Amino acid sequence: MHRIGFFVCHGYDALDLAGPLSTFNQVATAAGQTPYDLHVISRAGGLVLSNAGLPIETKPVGRRTFDTVIFVGGDIAPMQTSENVAIARKLGHRTARVASVCTGAFLLAETALLDNRRATTHWRYIAQLQSRFPRVRVEGDSIYIADGRIWTSAGIASGIDLALAMIETDMGSEIARSVSRLLVVAYRRPGGQSQFSAMSQMEPDSDRIRIALNFAREHLAEALPVERLAEAARLSPRQFGRVFRRETGETPAKAVERLRVEAARLRLQDGSEPIEQIALAVGFTDPERMRRAFVKLHGHPPQSIRRESRFFGNR
């Protein structure tokens, strides 16, 4: 029996708790046995209100021990009281596997458990986490990260991805796959998968800029100078460049580079094409240009994406 504690604070997010909790709970149906002993815990026990006003009954941490503790995200300020940090530090040091969902990473960071480790959180709070905790190696473009015994995940639904990855580690891929079917969710999104797409990140207001971006995405293997994109948007190059930057926050060239990196990343994860072939297929003139673009946008080269994908695929 593997005991898991879900640590919640006042203002917790209900989905940050319910997603991974339900995922582990479904293992009993998928495996025909009950390998996980699940507990919702808090510093003092009793009713704890979510940030939507949903109360949940919790058990006090006390002297309880767990095999895994998951710090549930929610409102950041209430979870960072000195009492919560002290309890989290004790739990973190005496538990074999520690994890956070969404902003729960802030509580973990307060305990110094994330110092010199790779970690992630919801994209909205990436800059804040890195600024407040410079010793943490924050990676904002991952849905979850496992660095040794410490796991962190991005927002909301990524808590389910994290739980499925843990189940796969504990019980194998077939059980994890069965659980994903029961939950009607995608099975095993790689931890390094982007939290959001390049297209959704830019979110232009006007139809003309959206048309240009769609045109670029459909013609990545071809040369895409600003004149060609402006023609697709039916604007002059000068007007197009000005409107594009105003609506997306970056130049057309940088946007095209981002789209090419995203397309390359998906191909790196999904297959075994040579990196040189992928670079040409998405419009980079050579692999070195693609490598520099990956390092600039994600902090690591394309080879690391390929290695991570193979690791998860072989588990």
Side-chain angles (χ1 to χ4, degrees):
M1 186 68 71
H2 187 106
R3 179 175 289 183
I4 301 179
F6 296 85
F7 187 86
V8 297
C9 303
H10 178 77
Y12 75 93
D13 190 284
L15 283 176
D16 285 354
L17 169 64
L21 178 63
S22 297
T23 303
F24 284 108
N25 189 55
Q26 288 292 342
V27 174
T29 301
Q33 56 177 308
T34 308
Y36 293 112
D37 183 20
L38 308 176
H39 301 263
V40 181
I41 57 176
S42 65
R43 181 182 63 81
L47 284 178
V48 177
L49 288 180
S50 75
N51 53 18
L54 180 68
I56 190 166
E57 184 69 33
T58 67
K59 300 174 183 177
V61 172
R63 297 181 178 272
R64 299 174 190 272
T65 59
F66 300 92
D67 301 293
T68 297
V69 171
I70 298 176
F71 293 95
V72 175
D75 294 341
I76 296 172
M79 72 175 67
Q80 292 186 303
T81 65
S82 58
E83 295 85 357
N84 281 333
V85 172
I87 289 291
R89 185 178 292 113
K90 289 180 181 179
L91 282 170
H93 284 295
R94 70 191 188 197
T95 305
R97 186 168 63 188
V98 180
S100 66
V101 179
C102 196
T103 54
F106 282 82
L107 181 53
L108 272 186
E110 288 282 3
T111 70
L113 285 168
L114 294 183
D115 284 3
N116 302 312
R117 290 184 184 271
R118 297 165 55 239
T120 193
T121 188
H122 191 286
W123 61 266
R124 187 177 180 184
Y125 300 99
I126 288 295
Q128 184 179 344
L129 183 65
Q130 186 66 86
S131 175
R132 290 182 57 179
F133 304 99
R135 293 185 180 181
V136 181
R137 292 156 53 193
V138 180
E139 296 184 8
D141 203 35
S142 298
I143 57 174
Y144 68 84
I145 291 173
D147 189 334
R149 70 185 187 93
I150 309 295
W151 297 55
T152 54
S153 66
I156 313 294
S158 62
I160 296 174
D161 296 294
L162 178 141
L164 286 171
M166 286 184 171
I167 291 167
E168 185 177 0
T169 298
D170 298 340
M171 305 194 66
S173 60
E174 288 305 312
I175 296 298
R177 185 178 289 106
S178 295
V179 170
S180 72
R181 292 191 188 119
L182 289 169
L183 295 172
V184 198
V185 299
Y187 169 61
R188 201 177 58 197
R189 289 195 297 168
Q193 183 169 319
S194 177
Q195 291 189 36
F196 46 89
S197 72
M199 290 289 281
S200 66
Q201 183 181 2
M202 287 181 273
E203 295 182 342
D205 293 327
S206 69
D207 289 338
R208 293 194 178 195
I209 301 303
R210 281 194 290 270
I211 289 169
L213 283 170
N214 284 325
F215 178 86
R217 187 170 57 178
E218 293 167 2
H219 298 82
L220 287 178
E222 305 168 18
L224 291 170
V226 67
E227 292 80 9
R228 193 173 183 199
L229 297 177
E231 183 181 356
R234 296 185 179 181
L235 293 170
S236 70
R238 185 175 179 180
Q239 185 182 15
F240 174 76
R242 185 172 62 251
V243 174
F244 191 97
R245 186 154 196 165
R246 185 179 68 237
E247 294 194 11
T248 68
E250 57 190 15
T251 66
K254 287 184 178 179
V256 169
E257 181 181 66
R258 188 183 296 277
L259 291 171
R260 283 175 169 149
V261 166
E262 181 175 72
R265 185 172 187 148
L266 292 173
R267 294 175 81 133
L268 285 163
Q269 290 172 339
D270 293 343
S272 57
E273 289 179 273
I275 288 177
E276 295 79 5
Q277 184 175 320
I278 291 175
L280 293 175
V282 299
F284 289 106
T285 54
D286 60 72
E288 178 57 23
R289 283 179 180 268
M290 185 169 81
R291 188 195 71 80
R292 290 199 299 266
F294 265 80
V295 172
K296 180 170 64 176
L297 290 173
H298 299 308
H300 43 72
Q303 288 83 352
S304 65
I305 303 294
R306 172 62 53 82
R307 285 194 297 269
E308 182 182 67
S309 179
R310 286 175 176 170
F311 171 75
F312 279 100
N314 291 327
R315 283 168 57 185

